[in-house]
Amino acid sequence: QVQLVESGGGLVQAGDSLRLSCAASGRTFSNSVMGWFRQAPGKEREFVAAIRWSGDSSYYADSVKGRFTISRDNAKNTVYLQMNSLKPEDTAVYYCAARPGSVYHQSPLLYTNWGQGTQVTVSS
């Protein structure tokens, strides 16, 4: 079982930056995909970005492409989400998730492990 713990959320102003972290422990998969999702009040959980534990590729939702960067530190079993040029519409609870395998998916239903979430609030 994989345990995921997010950190780094907070209250910022539009245009500011934040970096979220997701520390993984337990039975981590060398062949797995790590994803970031977000959920705003009254809305469905939506895909933000994903990265494999191995390799150089990553995958982004169109709404964050060019502003957010996902990365990982394999030695620390940690995945990061660098968020730049934040907008009020980025306000949400951000979740880290994991799924075995190497295929990227945007559906949260295909991710098997989840963190507790961290709140990001962007004021205008």
Side-chain angles (χ1 to χ4, degrees):
Q1 189 73 5
V2 177
Q3 291 81 44
L4 303 173
V5 178
E6 303 97 333
S7 61
L11 172 62
V12 297
Q13 294 186 332
D16 285 351
S17 298
L18 271 178
R19 189 178 79 159
L20 306 182
S21 299
C22 172
S25 61
R27 179 177 172 268
T28 55
F29 310 112
S30 59
N31 179 32
S32 64
V33 171
M34 300 296 295
W36 284 100
F37 290 78
R38 64 187 182 186
Q39 188 166 17
K43 294 188 176 181
E44 293 187 350
R45 192 167 297 189
E46 66 172 358
F47 171 80
V48 175
I51 191 169
R52 298 186 180 102
W53 273 120
S54 60
D56 296 329
S57 70
S58 54
Y59 183 52
Y60 297 91
D62 289 342
S63 59
V64 305
K65 202 173 293 183
R67 298 189 298 123
F68 291 10
T69 302
I70 189 170
S71 62
R72 68 177 192 274
D73 185 331
N74 290 41
K76 296 182 178 180
N77 280 344
T78 300
V79 176
Y80 303 99
L81 185 68
Q82 177 67 43
M83 305 185 295
N84 299 330
S85 302
L86 282 162
K87 306 174 181 180
E89 50 264 42
D90 294 318
T91 295
V93 177
Y94 282 70
Y95 296 91
C96 177
R99 67 176 304 277
S102 60
V103 179
Y104 289 127
H105 287 288
Q106 292 196 13
S107 171
L109 298 177
L110 297 176
Y111 287 74
T112 55
N113 301 89
W114 291 85
Q116 82 289 350
T118 185
Q119 177 70 47
V120 172
T121 303
V122 184
S123 63
S124 58

